[in-house]
Amino acid sequence: MDIGIGLPGHAPWTQGRALVDWARRAEERGFSTLSVSDRLVWTTPEPLITLAAAAGATSRIRLLTSVLLAPLRANHALFAKAVTTLDQLAGPGRLQLGLAPGLRDDDFTEGGVDYATRGRQFDRLLDRLAGVSRGEDPVGPRAATDGGIPLLFGGHSEAALRRIATRGTGWIAGDATVEGVREFTPGLAKAWADAGRPGAPRVVATVMFALGPDARRAVSAAIEPYYAFAGEEYASYGASAALTTPEQITTAVAGFAEIGVDELIFAGNDPDPAQVDLLADTIGL
Protein backbone atom coordinates (compact mmCIF):
# COMPACT_ATOMS: atom_id res chain seq x y z
CA MET A 1 0.00 0.00 0.00
CA ASP A 2 1.31 3.44 -0.95
CA ILE A 3 1.39 6.17 1.70
CA GLY A 4 0.73 9.77 0.73
CA ILE A 5 0.42 13.03 2.63
CA GLY A 6 -2.02 15.92 2.30
CA LEU A 7 -1.23 19.61 2.63
CA PRO A 8 -2.86 21.32 5.64
CA GLY A 9 -4.83 23.63 3.37
CA HIS A 10 -7.93 23.76 5.58
CA ALA A 11 -5.85 24.51 8.69
CA PRO A 12 -4.99 28.06 9.83
CA TRP A 13 -1.83 28.40 7.72
CA THR A 14 -0.50 31.90 7.09
CA GLN A 15 2.56 31.45 4.87
CA GLY A 16 2.07 29.97 1.42
CA ARG A 17 5.75 29.12 1.11
CA ALA A 18 5.31 26.69 4.01
CA LEU A 19 3.07 24.61 1.73
CA VAL A 20 5.87 24.47 -0.84
CA ASP A 21 8.21 23.34 1.94
CA TRP A 22 5.70 20.57 2.74
CA ALA A 23 5.89 19.45 -0.89
CA ARG A 24 9.69 19.31 -0.93
CA ARG A 25 9.87 17.47 2.38
CA ALA A 26 7.17 15.01 1.33
CA GLU A 27 9.17 14.04 -1.73
CA GLU A 28 12.45 13.86 0.17
CA ARG A 29 10.93 11.55 2.78
CA GLY A 30 9.50 9.17 0.20
CA PHE A 31 5.75 9.77 0.32
CA SER A 32 3.98 8.49 -2.79
CA THR A 33 1.56 11.39 -3.27
CA LEU A 34 1.01 14.99 -2.22
CA SER A 35 -2.67 15.95 -2.05
CA VAL A 36 -4.52 19.22 -1.65
CA SER A 37 -8.17 19.81 -0.71
CA ASP A 38 -10.67 22.28 -2.14
CA ARG A 39 -13.22 24.74 -0.79
CA LEU A 40 -14.31 28.13 -2.08
CA VAL A 41 -15.76 29.68 1.09
CA TRP A 42 -12.66 29.04 3.18
CA THR A 43 -8.96 29.89 3.27
CA THR A 44 -8.10 26.65 1.46
CA PRO A 45 -5.65 27.48 -1.35
CA GLU A 46 -6.81 26.96 -4.94
CA PRO A 47 -5.76 23.38 -5.66
CA LEU A 48 -4.49 23.58 -9.23
CA ILE A 49 -2.35 26.64 -8.50
CA THR A 50 -1.04 24.98 -5.35
CA LEU A 51 -0.11 21.79 -7.20
CA ALA A 52 1.59 23.84 -9.93
CA ALA A 53 3.86 25.32 -7.24
CA ALA A 54 4.43 21.83 -5.84
CA ALA A 55 5.21 20.48 -9.31
CA GLY A 56 7.92 23.11 -9.76
CA ALA A 57 9.44 22.32 -6.36
CA THR A 58 9.53 18.53 -6.86
CA SER A 59 10.20 15.98 -9.59
CA ARG A 60 8.86 12.58 -8.54
CA ILE A 61 5.98 12.69 -6.07
CA ARG A 62 2.47 12.26 -7.47
CA LEU A 63 0.11 15.24 -7.21
CA LEU A 64 -3.57 14.79 -6.30
CA THR A 65 -6.63 16.96 -5.77
CA SER A 66 -8.46 15.45 -2.80
CA VAL A 67 -11.04 16.39 -3.79
CA LEU A 68 -11.59 19.17 -6.27
CA LEU A 69 -15.19 20.48 -6.39
CA ALA A 70 -15.44 20.16 -10.13
CA PRO A 71 -18.80 21.86 -10.91
CA LEU A 72 -17.55 25.13 -9.41
CA ARG A 73 -15.32 25.40 -12.49
CA ALA A 74 -18.11 26.75 -14.68
CA ASN A 75 -15.84 27.54 -17.65
CA HIS A 76 -15.16 23.98 -18.73
CA ALA A 77 -12.70 24.86 -21.48
CA LEU A 78 -10.62 27.02 -19.17
CA PHE A 79 -10.64 24.31 -16.51
CA ALA A 80 -9.53 21.67 -18.99
CA LYS A 81 -6.73 23.93 -20.20
CA ALA A 82 -5.55 24.54 -16.63
CA VAL A 83 -5.54 20.81 -15.89
CA THR A 84 -3.66 19.76 -19.02
CA THR A 85 -1.19 22.60 -18.54
CA LEU A 86 -0.52 21.37 -15.01
CA ASP A 87 -0.06 17.84 -16.34
CA GLN A 88 2.50 19.15 -18.82
CA LEU A 89 4.35 21.10 -16.11
CA ALA A 90 4.39 18.16 -13.70
CA GLY A 91 5.42 15.63 -16.34
CA PRO A 92 3.70 12.42 -17.45
CA GLY A 93 2.16 10.21 -14.81
CA ARG A 94 2.34 12.56 -11.83
CA LEU A 95 -1.02 14.35 -11.78
CA GLN A 96 -4.19 12.64 -10.56
CA LEU A 97 -7.54 14.35 -10.16
CA GLY A 98 -9.79 13.47 -7.26
CA LEU A 99 -13.17 14.98 -8.12
CA ALA A 100 -16.57 15.36 -6.48
CA PRO A 101 -19.74 17.36 -7.14
CA GLY A 102 -19.58 19.28 -3.87
CA LEU A 103 -21.87 19.34 -0.86
CA ARG A 104 -22.00 22.86 0.58
CA ASP A 105 -24.38 25.20 -1.19
CA ASP A 106 -22.53 28.32 0.02
CA ASP A 107 -19.58 27.43 -2.22
CA PHE A 108 -21.95 27.50 -5.19
CA THR A 109 -23.75 30.65 -4.10
CA GLU A 110 -20.50 32.57 -3.78
CA GLY A 111 -19.20 31.02 -7.00
CA GLY A 112 -22.28 32.00 -8.98
CA VAL A 113 -22.94 28.38 -9.98
CA ASP A 114 -26.33 26.65 -9.83
CA TYR A 115 -26.22 24.08 -7.03
CA ALA A 116 -29.23 22.13 -8.30
CA THR A 117 -27.66 21.33 -11.69
CA ARG A 118 -24.13 20.63 -10.50
CA GLY A 119 -24.30 16.94 -11.44
CA ARG A 120 -25.11 17.69 -15.08
CA GLN A 121 -22.44 20.38 -15.19
CA PHE A 122 -19.96 17.89 -13.73
CA ASP A 123 -20.57 15.43 -16.57
CA ARG A 124 -20.23 18.16 -19.21
CA LEU A 125 -16.95 19.27 -17.67
CA LEU A 126 -15.65 15.69 -17.80
CA ASP A 127 -16.58 15.46 -21.49
CA ARG A 128 -14.64 18.64 -22.27
CA LEU A 129 -11.64 17.55 -20.20
CA ALA A 130 -11.49 14.23 -22.06
CA GLY A 131 -11.47 15.94 -25.44
CA VAL A 132 -8.78 18.44 -24.49
CA SER A 133 -6.66 15.72 -22.87
CA ARG A 134 -6.69 13.67 -26.07
CA GLY A 135 -5.93 16.62 -28.34
CA GLU A 136 -9.37 16.37 -29.97
CA ASP A 137 -10.48 19.87 -28.96
CA PRO A 138 -9.40 23.29 -30.26
CA VAL A 139 -8.40 24.11 -26.67
CA GLY A 140 -4.95 22.89 -25.66
CA PRO A 141 -2.41 21.74 -24.69
CA ARG A 142 -3.23 18.05 -24.64
CA ALA A 143 -2.31 16.05 -21.55
CA ALA A 144 1.26 14.84 -21.15
CA THR A 145 0.09 11.59 -19.54
CA ASP A 146 -0.66 8.85 -22.06
CA GLY A 147 -4.31 7.84 -21.89
CA GLY A 148 -5.24 11.02 -20.05
CA ILE A 149 -5.01 12.13 -16.45
CA PRO A 150 -6.24 9.47 -13.97
CA LEU A 151 -9.59 10.42 -12.43
CA LEU A 152 -10.70 9.34 -8.96
CA PHE A 153 -14.25 10.15 -7.90
CA GLY A 154 -15.45 10.76 -4.37
CA GLY A 155 -18.83 10.05 -2.83
CA HIS A 156 -21.12 7.08 -2.26
CA SER A 157 -24.01 7.85 -4.60
CA GLU A 158 -25.18 5.98 -7.68
CA ALA A 159 -23.84 8.87 -9.75
CA ALA A 160 -20.43 8.47 -8.14
CA LEU A 161 -20.42 4.76 -8.94
CA ARG A 162 -21.43 5.52 -12.53
CA ARG A 163 -18.63 8.03 -12.99
CA ILE A 164 -16.05 5.68 -11.50
CA ALA A 165 -17.15 2.77 -13.65
CA THR A 166 -17.44 4.68 -16.93
CA ARG A 167 -14.88 7.49 -16.66
CA GLY A 168 -12.57 6.87 -13.74
CA THR A 169 -9.63 4.88 -12.54
CA GLY A 170 -11.01 4.48 -9.02
CA TRP A 171 -12.61 5.80 -5.86
CA ILE A 172 -11.29 8.26 -3.28
CA ALA A 173 -12.77 8.04 0.21
CA GLY A 174 -12.57 11.17 2.36
CA ASP A 175 -12.42 11.01 6.17
CA ALA A 176 -12.26 7.27 5.66
CA THR A 177 -12.66 4.45 8.14
CA VAL A 178 -11.73 0.83 7.60
CA GLU A 179 -15.35 -0.17 8.16
CA GLY A 180 -16.70 2.39 5.71
CA VAL A 181 -14.30 1.38 2.95
CA ARG A 182 -15.01 -2.30 3.54
CA GLU A 183 -18.76 -1.70 3.23
CA PHE A 184 -18.54 0.33 0.00
CA THR A 185 -16.04 -1.65 -2.04
CA PRO A 186 -18.25 -4.68 -2.92
CA GLY A 187 -20.71 -2.38 -4.70
CA LEU A 188 -17.81 -0.57 -6.33
CA ALA A 189 -16.38 -3.84 -7.63
CA LYS A 190 -19.80 -4.85 -9.01
CA ALA A 191 -20.30 -1.52 -10.81
CA TRP A 192 -16.81 -1.82 -12.29
CA ALA A 193 -17.42 -5.38 -13.52
CA ASP A 194 -20.90 -4.54 -14.84
CA ALA A 195 -19.34 -1.77 -16.94
CA GLY A 196 -16.97 -4.33 -18.49
CA ARG A 197 -13.88 -2.73 -17.05
CA PRO A 198 -10.83 -5.00 -16.72
CA GLY A 199 -8.94 -5.43 -13.47
CA ALA A 200 -10.12 -3.53 -10.41
CA PRO A 201 -10.71 0.12 -9.54
CA ARG A 202 -8.02 1.88 -7.54
CA VAL A 203 -9.08 2.64 -3.96
CA VAL A 204 -7.56 5.62 -2.16
CA ALA A 205 -8.48 6.45 1.44
CA THR A 206 -7.75 9.71 3.25
CA VAL A 207 -7.60 10.31 7.00
CA MET A 208 -6.83 13.36 9.11
CA PHE A 209 -3.72 13.53 11.27
CA ALA A 210 -1.47 15.67 13.43
CA LEU A 211 1.46 14.56 15.57
CA GLY A 212 3.52 15.99 18.41
CA PRO A 213 2.69 17.53 21.79
CA ASP A 214 0.18 19.99 20.31
CA ALA A 215 -1.54 17.50 18.02
CA ARG A 216 -4.93 17.51 19.71
CA ARG A 217 -5.01 21.31 19.83
CA ALA A 218 -4.02 21.49 16.16
CA VAL A 219 -6.81 19.19 14.96
CA SER A 220 -9.38 21.06 17.04
CA ALA A 221 -8.25 24.40 15.60
CA ALA A 222 -8.31 23.08 12.04
CA ILE A 223 -11.26 20.69 11.90
CA GLU A 224 -13.90 22.11 14.24
CA PRO A 225 -14.24 25.48 12.44
CA TYR A 226 -14.01 23.76 9.04
CA TYR A 227 -16.94 21.45 9.80
CA ALA A 228 -18.92 23.91 11.90
CA PHE A 229 -21.49 24.23 9.10
CA ALA A 230 -22.66 20.67 9.87
CA GLY A 231 -23.26 21.39 13.55
CA GLU A 232 -21.28 21.18 16.75
CA GLU A 233 -21.72 17.42 17.13
CA TYR A 234 -20.32 16.63 13.69
CA ALA A 235 -17.47 19.10 14.06
CA SER A 236 -16.48 17.56 17.39
CA TYR A 237 -16.68 14.08 15.91
CA GLY A 238 -14.44 15.11 13.01
CA ALA A 239 -11.80 16.42 15.39
CA SER A 240 -12.00 13.36 17.65
CA ALA A 241 -11.61 11.00 14.66
CA ALA A 242 -8.30 12.55 13.59
CA LEU A 243 -5.21 10.45 14.30
CA THR A 244 -2.91 12.12 16.80
CA THR A 245 -0.62 9.40 18.20
CA PRO A 246 1.97 7.11 16.60
CA GLU A 247 -0.09 4.11 17.72
CA GLN A 248 -3.18 5.39 15.90
CA ILE A 249 -1.12 6.02 12.75
CA THR A 250 0.39 2.54 12.66
CA THR A 251 -2.97 0.93 13.41
CA ALA A 252 -4.53 2.81 10.50
CA VAL A 253 -1.78 1.72 8.12
CA ALA A 254 -2.23 -1.91 9.12
CA GLY A 255 -6.02 -1.78 8.95
CA PHE A 256 -6.33 -0.16 5.54
CA ALA A 257 -3.60 -2.38 4.10
CA GLU A 258 -5.41 -5.47 5.35
CA ILE A 259 -8.59 -4.62 3.42
CA GLY A 260 -6.70 -3.99 0.18
CA VAL A 261 -6.63 -0.20 -0.04
CA ASP A 262 -4.15 0.86 -2.74
CA GLU A 263 -3.10 4.12 -1.14
CA LEU A 264 -3.62 5.78 2.24
CA ILE A 265 -3.21 9.54 2.45
CA PHE A 266 -2.71 11.32 5.77
CA ALA A 267 -4.09 14.86 5.50
CA GLY A 268 -2.28 17.36 7.70
CA ASN A 269 -3.93 19.63 10.25
CA ASP A 270 -0.89 21.42 11.68
CA PRO A 271 0.73 23.85 9.18
CA ASP A 272 4.24 23.23 10.56
CA PRO A 273 6.28 21.41 7.85
CA ALA A 274 7.93 19.42 10.65
CA GLN A 275 4.72 17.36 10.57
CA VAL A 276 6.03 15.70 7.41
CA ASP A 277 9.06 14.35 9.24
CA LEU A 278 7.04 13.28 12.28
CA LEU A 279 4.72 11.24 10.06
CA ALA A 280 7.57 9.78 8.00
CA ASP A 281 9.41 8.73 11.15
CA THR A 282 6.27 7.12 12.55
CA ILE A 283 5.59 4.96 9.51
CA GLY A 284 9.24 4.20 8.79
CA LEU A 285 9.91 6.24 5.66
Side-chain angles (χ1 to χ4, degrees):
M1 184 177 69
D2 293 337
I3 304 291
I5 192 168
L7 292 171
H10 62 283
W13 59 275
T14 57
Q15 297 294 325
R17 295 303 299 176
L19 303 182
V20 177
D21 193 8
W22 267 72
R24 290 196 185 99
R25 291 197 191 196
E27 178 164 274
E28 290 168 359
R29 292 305 303 263
F31 288 99
S32 56
T33 295
L34 179 78
S35 74
V36 60
S37 59
D38 187 24
R39 276 289 314 283
L40 184 59
V41 185
W42 200 253
T43 56
T44 312
E46 202 289 317
L48 298 181
I49 292 175
T50 303
L51 291 183
T58 60
S59 61
R60 176 201 57 79
I61 195 168
R62 291 194 298 260
L63 308 169
L64 171 68
T65 57
S66 177
V67 290
L68 187 142
L69 307 180
L72 287 176
R73 278 67 186 183
N75 187 322
H76 300 166
L78 186 59
F79 171 74
K81 187 179 187 73
V83 167
T84 56
T85 299
L86 176 54
D87 192 51
Q88 288 283 348
L89 292 172
R94 292 185 68 197
L95 179 63
Q96 304 170 89
L97 292 182
L99 305 168
L103 176 65
R104 290 192 52 169
D105 56 5
D106 58 345
D107 284 332
F108 290 83
T109 299
E110 295 300 327
V113 177
D114 182 23
Y115 182 80
T117 62
R118 68 194 188 283
R120 292 193 293 275
Q121 292 299 322
F122 194 177
D123 288 332
R124 291 172 187 151
L125 178 147
L126 293 172
D127 289 338
R128 194 67 189 267
L129 176 60
V132 174
S133 295
R134 294 191 297 260
E136 300 170 353
D137 190 290
V139 172
R142 67 181 299 162
T145 300
D146 288 341
I149 298 150
L151 305 181
L152 301 166
F153 293 98
H156 299 81
S157 67
E158 289 298 320
L161 283 171
R162 171 180 57 81
R163 292 186 183 107
I164 295 167
T166 60
R167 300 177 181 266
T169 56
W171 176 53
I172 183 165
D175 292 334
T177 64
V178 170
E179 294 76 13
V181 172
R182 185 189 287 118
E183 289 175 4
F184 185 76
T185 48
L188 174 63
K190 182 179 185 304
W192 189 265
D194 288 349
R197 299 289 299 274
R202 183 169 176 80
V203 175
V204 178
T206 65
V207 294
M208 297 285 195
F209 94 97
L211 288 168
D214 294 326
R216 186 48 57 188
R217 178 201 57 78
V219 298
S220 294
I223 295 175
E224 290 180 6
Y226 189 71
Y227 286 135
F229 75 95
E232 183 178 348
E233 182 177 352
Y234 185 84
S236 296
Y237 165 77
S240 66
L243 310 178
T244 57
T245 68
E247 293 77 17
Q248 290 175 331
I249 298 288
T250 55
T251 297
V253 170
F256 283 105
E258 183 179 0
I259 63 170
V261 165
D262 295 292
E263 184 168 31
L264 178 60
I265 296 177
F266 290 91
N269 288 271
D270 184 335
D272 187 350
Q275 290 287 306
V276 179
D277 295 313
L278 289 172
L279 180 60
D281 290 343
T282 297
I283 61 178
L285 290 180

